[in-house]
Amino acid sequence: MKSFADIVPPTLRPQRPSWTKPIILALLIFALTTYNLTTRLRFNASNHPFPVYTSWIDIPPSPSLHWSRCSLPGMLSGQNYLCARLTVPMDYQKPLNLSTKVHIAAVLLPAPGHGLDTRIFSTSPLLLNPGGPGGVGTAFTYPPRGPALQAMVGGDVDIIGFDPRGIGNTVPRADCYVDAEPGTEPSTEALNLATLHRLTWIASSHDRAKAVSKLCERKDGEQGGFRYMSTPNVAADMKRIVETHDDWLEENGFLTVPLGASLRSPSESTPPPTKRKLVYWGFSYGTLLGQTFAAMYPNSVGRLVLDGVVDSKVYSKPSWWTSSIQDADAIVQKFFLYCLLAKDKCALHRQGDAGPDAIQKRYEHVLSALRAEPLVVISNSNMPVLLLEEDVKKTIFVALYAPMQFFPIIASLFNALYTNTDVVDFVIAPDFGPACSPGFKSPIYLEESNAAIGCSDQRVKRNETLEALFDKLARSSSSVADVFLSIMLSCEGWNIEAKFPSPDWDASFESGDPINTSFPILFAGNT
């Protein structure tokens, strides 16, 4: 049986310093003040000639893109966010009136000086995708990321984040556990029951991937939508967003500002126009989405930045992304080196350490001890948690994405485990209490959407043994091979056949024929 730590992987938290109480009090006062201010702002906004929506379900979906003012949780008042729900066919091989409909949730963050009040917008907004697959794009426009990304591209470009099919606030959602008729909005009770079923299954299952795949297969159908969640369908949705946004600008007679107009000197020549073309910044999996769009619609490429590039030639294979962990061991080795250089600032360092090997020995001792005997931790919520070696390794794996941020916390965790110090402050047990509350609202899980997209994109089944696959991973990284193997097995048993926007679309990137896009693509490695 798996531990409850498998439900919510250990969340690392630094030790609480003595000054946390006054800070908590200050934050409480700030929160109350902000709440009152937000309430007043929303009250005043309700008198605005444009409606202000505070819930996604209240925003009317339409096959024409209609942006409306919105004030949703996570947005800051005064930033003039706009929201819309764009209706597209689930099956692009059918006309909209004959297909089940998908309502895509989208958020527009106008650049400073742009918006409904000034009637000024960018000629071509910047579409964002945070990665995944399964990442929620609407929240990617919220502070602090949205304004920061907007500033990075010059500060004068409107940005759009959208939730791809089955994800976040786009409906229908990829939820295999909820018991509701396809095409209908499930009740709160049904969502809550699905949450409890999901948590119970996660806590008890040894072979989750095949079981969840079977559950999704049972629910799939014309209205279920899982077979229509592959990357090419999302690329078709992006094209529809670009085109309907351009229609909205023209129909309303808004003044539009060309891309980068404020950054060009008078002597510079005007670059090729981007009107009715995609301007896009995709991260991680979002680069695969960008590549797919460029392959499908090469003449609709305006400006594409693909950041943290996924190799499209191996993505669709069962052994996908084995190269993604080829530098993992090197990063772990840097942890030992930087800990040595940091000396007393690194909790796992000891006076007299002659080299990084001494720190590595303590690190490996901790993992070996957990492998031999898992640690029982009594959480602050009075719930026992069984801390396994795999839990700690999962935490290390996540830390590799942001080593500058997480390495100090990793050092503190390992030092506590090495010295047999209570690690209660590093472990958060799952809290089932809210599920018993009448006002409980189920969170949106990404588990099924991740599989529905990633598994639909796989063109062939695994034809090698688990042992052979593990050996291949271990050759790339001995530190996190077992963690990454569990990710790669998420498509085991997935038998839902993907359907694409057009019958002649070849989702494989194996073709040797070059594709000439209407503008060059910028490939970057920042993430």
Side-chain angles (χ1 to χ4, degrees), residues 34 88 148 169 228 296 317 323 326 337 429 438 440:
T34 304
V88 299
N169 296 290
Y228 300 101
M296 293 174 65
K317 298 178 180 178
S323 60
Q326 63 185 11
L337 175 61
F440 174 67

Side-chain angles (χ1 to χ4, degrees), residues 54-392:
T54 58
S55 172
W56 278 108
I57 198 171
D58 294 331
I59 300 174
S62 170
S64 301
L65 195 61
H66 296 296
W67 293 107
S68 302
R69 293 179 183 270
C70 54
S71 181
L72 302 172
M75 296 178 176
L76 291 181
S77 298
Q79 287 195 298
N80 298 320
Y81 278 98
L82 302 177
C83 297
R85 291 207 294 166
L86 178 65
T87 301
V88 299
M90 183 173 287
D91 183 358
Y92 273 102
Q93 297 187 37
K94 297 180 180 179
L96 181 61
N97 63 333
L98 297 180
S99 172
T100 302
K101 296 173 178 59
V102 176
H103 305 306
I104 299 175
V107 170
L108 170 66
L109 175 59
H114 293 190
L116 294 175
D117 291 331
T118 61
R119 297 185 59 79
I120 299 174
F121 290 93
S122 300
T123 302
S124 301
L126 174 68
L127 266 68
L128 301 172
N129 183 278
V136 176
T138 52
F140 207 50
T141 64
Y142 297 176
R145 287 192 182 94
L149 291 171
Q150 192 172 59
M152 290 179 191
V153 293
D156 62 345
V157 181
D158 306 334
I159 63 174
I160 291 179
F162 70 100
D163 295 346
R165 294 171 171 234
I167 297 168
N169 296 290
T170 289
V171 293
R173 295 191 185 97
D175 189 336
C176 299
Y177 287 86
V178 69
D179 187 12
E181 289 296 323
T184 63
E185 185 68 21
S187 65
T188 300
E189 291 77 9
L191 289 171
N192 293 347
L193 182 60
T195 297
L196 294 177
H197 284 171
R198 180 181 280 105
L199 292 175
T200 302
W201 176 246
I202 291 174
S204 61
S205 171
H206 288 275
D207 198 353
R208 290 172 49 208
K210 289 183 179 179
V212 172
S213 296
K214 191 73 174 177
L215 188 64
C216 295
E217 186 177 352
R218 175 177 175 268
K219 189 172 181 179
D220 188 51
E222 184 65 27
Q223 292 183 314
F226 291 98
R227 66 189 64 194
Y228 300 101
M229 286 181 61
S230 62
T231 299
N233 286 292
V234 181
D237 292 339
M238 289 203 300
K239 188 171 188 292
R240 188 65 62 91
I241 292 173
V242 171
E243 293 172 345
T244 54
H245 178 78
D246 193 68
D247 292 339
W248 179 77
L249 292 174
E250 290 184 353
E251 290 168 2
N252 288 277
F254 292 120
L255 177 66
T256 58
V257 180
L259 187 68
S262 64
L263 302 177
R264 289 196 303 272
S265 65
S267 60
E268 287 185 271
S269 59
T270 303
T274 59
K275 181 177 173 59
R276 221 167 179 79
K277 294 184 178 182
L278 176 66
V279 177
Y280 175 78
W281 191 355
F283 301 86
S284 189
Y285 160 80
T287 67
L288 188 280
L289 177 57
Q291 293 174 67
T292 303
F293 182 95
M296 293 174 65
Y297 311 111
N299 294 326
S300 295
V301 172
R303 305 290 187 273
L304 263 63
V305 179
L306 306 183
D307 195 340
V309 183
V310 170
D311 187 347
S312 59
K313 291 187 179 296
V314 301
Y315 169 80
S316 61
K317 298 178 180 178
S319 57
W320 54 287
W321 295 0
T322 52
S323 60
S324 297
I325 58 173
Q326 63 185 11
D327 293 326
D329 287 354
I331 300 174
V332 172
Q333 289 298 318
K334 289 294 184 182
F335 169 78
F336 307 133
L337 175 61
Y338 293 154
C339 184
L340 177 71
L341 298 176
K343 296 184 179 180
D344 293 343
K345 294 180 180 179
C346 176
L348 200 56
H349 178 269
R350 298 291 185 271
Q351 188 174 3
D353 283 346
D357 290 349
I359 299 166
Q360 183 173 355
K361 286 181 180 179
R362 297 185 195 102
Y363 173 95
E364 293 175 348
H365 172 81
V366 168
L367 294 178
S368 177
L370 288 174
R371 191 180 315 128
E373 185 176 355
L375 179 66
V376 176
V377 181
I378 305 301
S379 71
N380 289 322
S381 60
N382 199 37
M383 183 174 183
V385 174
L386 191 63
L387 187 63
L388 307 176
E389 179 194 15
E390 66 180 272
D391 298 320
V392 176

